[in-house]
Amino acid sequence: MSDHCITLYGLSTCVHCRHAREFLEEHHIPFTCVYVDTLEGGERTQTIATVKKHNPRVSFPTIIIDNGNKVLVGFHVDEMKEALDL
């Protein structure tokens, strides 16, 4: 079990975001998933600003680990395993 605090920012239509989510689920790693494209108004604006702080290109998925101590952009299995000590 992971002791990391993880937030996955993605798009509901993004295949790479889906794969990142499935990876975390398959490894029984707790995480929060935020689909930015389903948010509206101020919540969406605020969430995009949060993503931009960690990933200026605002591309997805953006995975924030331990409040930004580690940030992964895109879905790459080796990077995920390394970042999560798997």
Side-chain angles (χ1 to χ4, degrees):
M1 188 71 76
S2 173
D3 290 331
H4 298 288
C5 174
I6 300 168
T7 303
L8 166 63
Y9 292 98
L11 302 175
S12 62
T13 57
C14 169
V15 67
H16 302 293
C17 301
R18 186 177 78 234
H19 291 314
R21 183 180 184 136
E22 289 169 352
F23 177 90
L24 293 168
E25 289 171 348
E26 288 167 8
H27 287 85
H28 308 286
I29 297 171
F31 66 99
T32 301
C33 182
V34 178
Y35 287 126
V36 178
D37 59 326
T38 65
L39 303 176
E40 296 181 359
E43 186 179 21
R44 183 179 183 142
T45 302
Q46 184 177 25
T47 301
I48 289 172
T50 298
V51 172
K52 190 177 277 193
K53 279 192 277 185
H54 300 284
N55 172 11
R57 293 180 58 203
V58 191
S59 53
F60 300 100
T62 295
I63 303 162
I64 311 297
I65 302 171
D66 299 332
N67 299 313
N69 287 335
K70 296 179 188 174
V71 177
L72 303 177
V73 177
F75 175 63
H76 307 282
V77 172
D78 292 340
E79 288 180 17
M80 292 278 285
K81 287 182 177 180
E82 182 180 335
L84 298 171
D85 306 315
L86 297 177

